[in-house]
Amino acid sequence: MRPIRSTVAALLALAPPILAQGALPSYVPPPASRTVEFHPISDPEGALMGYYSALLIFAPDGAPSAAKPWTVDVGVNLGYVPPLNYDQRTAGRDKPEATNLTSAFGYPKVTLWFPARIGLTAAYTPPFDVGGAKPYIYAFSLEGVLATVKTWEIVPRLTYTGGHITAPITCNKDLATSGNDSFEFYWTYVCNARESTDRLEPNQWSFEMNASGSWMQGRLLPFLGLGVVQYKTTFDIQVQTGSGIDTDHPILKMNATEGYGTIGATWVASPLWRFGGALFWEPGSVFTGRVSATIRLNGK
Amino acid sequence: MMTPHRAFALAAIAAALMLAASCADFTSNENANAGLSDVLIAHPSLANDLQPVFTARCAIGGCHTPAEDRIGLILATGYTYGSTVNVVSVHGSPLLRVNPGDHMSSFLWRMVQSDTLLHPGIPRMPLAAQPLTANMIQNIANWIDDGAPDN
């Protein structure tokens, strides 16, 4: 099988679970009545949701670099997840939330280039257990070259990110051995000595304007981007009772519109391989670094 | 022309700088008062002065709500009086949760004190959260010493 066909086959293989997820209604909580709390991104709970939502923004981790029609890029984005300090983890209580479960988050991704220098990217993080957190995150982006100014290309990009991550954040077994009487009591009586299966659901659209240049005869492609993201994030506290979820705990929601910026470069190592690095900053949420590696399966 | 070795070295330095500079860009300051009034009241009302504190700090998900009903102690609106006044404490037996006229022998008042000798073996309430303010605690004492009226 030629590379292009195998890539298309891989894309098609990815499509059913992603489309199936999209075709289903959004996650439906258990039938028992649940309290829904809306938090602004400025309060402790909202800030935590905003922090993780920002880390999931599917921003470009390398310079947008359009290719001839039907070219396929396959790659991976990897972002650093900075650890939170004690105050940031407490979310309005003394008890810390178990938020430092992983130090990296990544997306395998596939981009198909269409005529008119338009690219469609699909990304999917499969549910591998990482430090107790299990992601099922997907993203789609549509980008195209809007204009060329000297050696700089102006590339708008629209992205949707959805799915969910489950993790023992509210009730983590670390509480039981924390050496703090209050936390151990909390583990026994509030957590029922069971880890929670809390569920973070990003549901966010983002739009960026990127400018991508060309240096060193096209081997180094600097870029910068400014974006705006609309969050509709849900955090479902799922404390386990042994016979199901303790429905007395609320479902938290955070709706916000925030701005962010990226700056970085892609190194074109060969006609096949490209390596990118970028700084990502969403004021009030996170400043972090991201890298990417991409193989261009055909074309230039 | 940049050699691969130099490019990798530059990339490694850039990555190290990125990691060093990365951080969560927010603060999370707890508001111990939870937006509640924090004034000392000589003769407080259960409904108007104490219940807002119980509702915001005690009757929260997983704790003393009607649905959760931890040890039969419900501190939600409409439940507090019947759940505390002249009711024997589960953890503090034979003390009553609220002994009208005597806050020192009322386990509800003892449980919100930071002095663990007043509630041996059980952490201070609200659990795993900032303590009630001195005024809030004194208002509970004043209400009990007034005879714990259902007002």
Side-chain angles (χ1 to χ4, degrees):
Chain A
M1 188 180 287
R2 294 172 58 194
I4 180 66
R5 287 186 180 171
S6 60
T7 305
V8 170
L11 266 174
L12 291 174
L14 276 175
I18 294 171
L19 293 177
Q21 177 77 7
L24 292 170
S26 184
Y27 168 66
V28 178
S33 170
R34 304 282 305 274
T35 301
V36 176
E37 294 180 2
F38 284 87
H39 291 266
I41 197 168
S42 56
D43 83 2
E45 290 89 346
L48 261 182
M49 287 192 278
Y51 172 75
Y52 281 100
S53 299
L55 289 167
L56 297 174
I57 291 176
F58 186 52
D61 296 341
S65 49
K68 69 180 185 181
W70 317 120
T71 296
V72 174
D73 291 337
V74 178
V76 62
N77 289 12
L78 195 63
Y80 178 56
V81 179
L84 300 180
N85 64 34
Y86 188 85
D87 284 343
Q88 290 164 333
R89 295 171 60 202
T90 51
R93 300 182 67 96
D94 283 354
K95 182 189 79 65
E97 306 296 306
T99 55
N100 296 333
L101 298 173
T102 178
S103 55
F105 180 79
Y107 285 101
K109 61 179 182 179
V110 178
T111 302
L112 177 62
W113 292 98
F114 293 94
R117 308 179 80 188
I118 291 172
L120 177 65
T121 300
Y124 168 59
T125 304
F128 294 126
D129 192 306
V130 181
K134 189 175 285 189
Y136 182 97
I137 297 291
Y138 55 85
F140 300 96
S141 73
L142 185 66
E143 65 189 270
V145 179
L146 182 67
T148 300
V149 182
K150 295 185 178 177
T151 60
W152 289 80
E153 291 180 336
I154 308 301
V155 185
R157 187 168 181 272
L158 180 68
T159 299
Y160 175 77
T161 304
H164 62 260
I165 297 174
T166 57
I169 294 171
T170 304
C171 292
N172 188 287
K173 61 187 174 189
D174 288 350
L175 289 172
T177 55
S178 64
N180 180 306
D181 290 347
S182 291
F183 301 166
E184 292 174 9
F185 198 87
Y186 191 97
W187 167 257
T188 303
Y189 288 96
V190 179
C191 298
N192 308 304
R194 290 178 169 84
E195 289 201 318
S196 55
T197 55
D198 304 314
R199 183 175 166 114
L200 177 77
E201 292 181 56
N203 175 14
Q204 55 204 47
W205 286 93
S206 51
F207 178 77
E208 297 141 11
M209 287 299 287
N210 298 288
S212 172
S214 177
W215 293 348
M216 298 171 61
Q217 292 80 47
R219 290 180 65 84
L220 189 65
L221 311 176
F223 82 99
L224 56 88
L226 289 174
V228 62
V229 59
Q230 183 187 55
Y231 295 125
K232 290 186 177 178
T233 302
T234 299
F235 185 76
D236 186 351
I237 300 173
Q238 295 203 351
V239 171
Q240 298 293 319
T241 65
S243 57
I245 296 167
D246 183 346
T247 55
D248 198 35
H249 292 270
I251 297 171
L252 313 183
K253 289 184 177 288
M254 185 278 294
N255 298 341
T257 302
E258 299 290 312
Y260 62 91
T262 56
I263 185 169
T266 288
W267 173 44
V268 183
S270 75
L272 282 180
W273 286 98
R274 290 158 188 257
F275 300 96
L279 294 173
F280 173 93
W281 184 34
E282 184 191 308
S285 284
V286 68
F287 178 77
T288 190
R290 297 172 163 186
V291 294
S292 66
T294 306
I295 183 168
R296 181 153 284 179
L297 295 183
N298 58 328
K300 292 183 179 177
Chain B
M1 183 73 179
M2 187 182 291
T3 65
H5 286 99
R6 181 174 294 181
F8 277 118
L10 283 174
I13 291 169
L17 288 174
M18 284 196 307
L19 289 181
S22 295
C23 63
D25 185 19
F26 67 94
T27 56
S28 182
N29 297 319
E30 180 174 355
N31 179 3
N33 292 349
L36 298 164
S37 170
D38 183 27
V39 294
L40 185 61
I41 303 169
H43 302 286
S45 150
L46 172 62
N48 297 330
D49 302 316
L50 302 189
Q51 189 57 56
V53 176
F54 294 143
T55 299
R57 301 298 309 276
C58 312
I60 57 177
C63 297
H64 299 292
T65 63
E68 207 67 47
D69 194 13
R70 294 265 172 224
I71 58 169
L73 175 59
I74 303 172
L75 294 174
T77 301
Y79 291 84
T80 304
Y81 185 87
S83 187
T84 59
V85 177
N86 291 316
V87 175
V88 176
S89 166
V90 170
H91 290 304
S93 176
L95 294 179
L96 301 177
R97 287 173 175 159
V98 168
N99 184 17
D102 183 6
H103 72 267
M104 283 297 291
S105 64
S106 296
F107 207 63
L108 176 71
W109 177 83
R110 287 180 168 224
M111 282 300 301
V112 295
Q113 298 288 332
S114 295
D115 182 355
T116 55
L117 292 176
L118 291 171
H119 43 85
I122 308 169
R124 186 262 302 149
M125 299 289 156
L127 183 63
Q130 288 288 298
L132 301 184
T133 67
N135 285 337
M136 292 173 183
I137 293 172
Q138 188 58 48
N139 288 343
I140 294 172
N142 290 348
W143 171 69
I144 294 172
D145 290 345
D146 276 351
D150 188 9
N151 58 352

